[in-house]
Amino acid sequence: MTITLLSVLLTQSDKILLSRLLPLKVFANYAVAGVLSNALYMLSTPIGAAFYPSFAQLITLRDVATLRLAYHQAAQLSAVVMGSAAIVLIIFADTVLSAWTGNPR
Amino acid sequence: MTQDASPILRVLAFGTLLNGFMGIPYQMQLAYGWTKLTIKMNVVAVALLVPILFLVVPRYGGIGAAWVWVALNAGGYLLFGIYFMHLRLCCRKKWRWYGRDVIVPASAALAAALACRYCLPNRASTMIEIVVLVFTSACVVIAAALVSPLVRAPLGAHMLAVVKHVRFRLGQDA
């Protein structure tokens, strides 16, 4: 509960502050970029959620060797799936934005 | 809008990438029932973020705020969070996490994305741009998977099983 509340504060406080500190047109650019970059969590969250029960079971069984293997496998899978999408977004930011908004470069 | 928003998107996506790397270590902390570290780090992060944004945003605008997000994740979470977590929990080899689990796949993905950026057409019609994006995404994922042994091995075994199944079905039909 506390972690969720703090995470919401952490991810939303910039938008709340920027909406007050910046002119609307400039804030709109930040908001659009924020929506697209937050979409990356749709790729990383399910991987963490899928491995969590396995981690908990292996900790209960005290099977440290398998736990280490599962941990590194999950980390690599997350880097492959979410990392790849993020890097495409970084390198092709203008292409993605132009295709998504229909706004020419 | 595309012109103005793309530099911010690049930096924000980088920050979110760094934050996303912390997803699995966070699940591990939860599985151990150890939530104090994340709570403490988030309290410090929120306490720092607001005053820093007040200082940075009026001078540097949206791009400044995006760099604050990167600095928070790189310095706070990836450096201190990972250090303290690997000190206490099962997987003490933090350099293996940084190296094999994060830097190696990310570097391969970056190399593939840069190669596609410079080799493929990038100022064409929307349809061609979408095709380029899909092709690039496939190349980037394959490159990252090939250098990640714990993803490559099960994926290879699974694909081999699919190929064998298809060949078996084709043989049956013939």
Side-chain angles (χ1 to χ4, degrees):
Chain A
M1 178 71 182
T2 317
I3 291 178
T4 310
L5 185 72
L6 287 166
S7 299
V8 170
L9 271 175
L10 198 64
T11 50
Q12 300 304 315
S13 55
D14 60 333
K15 286 156 197 90
I16 297 166
L17 283 176
L18 262 70
S19 68
R20 292 202 163 264
L21 295 170
L22 294 174
L24 193 59
K25 188 178 178 290
V26 183
F27 175 68
N29 295 328
Y30 187 87
V32 168
V35 168
L36 267 176
S37 66
N38 275 343
L40 292 170
Y41 290 119
M42 286 198 283
L43 297 170
S44 65
T45 309
I47 297 171
F51 274 89
Y52 170 71
S54 167
F55 290 164
Q57 186 191 31
L58 291 166
I59 290 165
T60 312
L61 295 171
R62 296 177 191 277
D63 187 351
V64 178
T66 315
L67 179 64
R68 276 188 188 148
L69 187 71
Y71 173 68
H72 289 295
Q73 187 174 35
Q76 286 184 19
L77 186 64
S78 179
V80 168
V81 176
M82 193 259 197
S84 299
I87 283 165
V88 170
L89 206 54
I90 293 166
I91 304 295
F92 289 84
D94 48 349
T95 314
V96 173
L97 273 167
S98 125
W100 187 47
T101 61
N103 209 308
R105 281 182 279 174
Chain B
M1 174 180 274
T2 303
Q3 202 82 25
D4 297 329
S6 51
I8 301 173
L9 175 58
R10 283 199 173 96
V11 182
L12 272 182
F14 182 48
T16 307
L17 168 69
L18 300 179
N19 191 264
F21 285 142
M22 289 300 296
I24 300 301
Y26 171 63
Q27 294 297 336
M28 182 64 105
Q29 290 170 44
L30 286 187
Y32 267 100
W34 188 40
T35 52
K36 271 186 186 169
L37 177 68
T38 305
I39 292 175
K40 282 179 186 169
M41 292 201 65
N42 282 356
V43 167
V44 173
V46 171
L48 287 175
L49 187 69
V50 176
I52 290 175
L53 284 176
F54 266 113
L55 287 173
V56 169
V57 173
R59 189 175 292 182
Y60 300 103
I63 195 87
W67 277 114
V68 171
W69 175 237
V70 170
L72 186 78
N73 283 298
Y77 290 96
L78 274 181
L79 216 66
F80 289 105
I82 288 297
Y83 173 77
F84 287 119
M85 187 202 132
H86 285 83
L87 209 62
R88 176 166 167 161
L89 300 187
C90 82
C91 314
R92 288 176 187 270
K93 294 172 181 173
K94 72 169 186 289
W95 294 114
R96 185 179 164 187
W97 182 85
Y98 281 125
R100 269 201 226 167
D101 299 352
V102 172
I103 295 171
V104 170
S107 305
L110 181 66
L114 285 172
C116 289
R117 176 87 207 196
Y118 292 107
C119 296
L120 297 173
N122 64 22
R123 280 193 186 268
S125 67
T126 306
M127 192 47 77
I128 291 176
E129 283 188 338
I130 290 171
V131 171
V132 165
L133 276 177
V134 171
F135 178 77
T136 303
S137 302
C139 290
V140 169
V141 170
I142 290 168
L146 283 176
V147 297
S148 309
L150 295 175
V151 175
R152 185 181 61 217
L155 199 69
H158 185 72
M159 287 179 75
L160 204 67
V162 170
V163 170
K164 274 183 184 171
H165 178 74
V166 170
R167 282 176 66 180
F168 175 72
R169 291 297 296 269
L170 287 173
Q172 264 190 338
D173 290 344

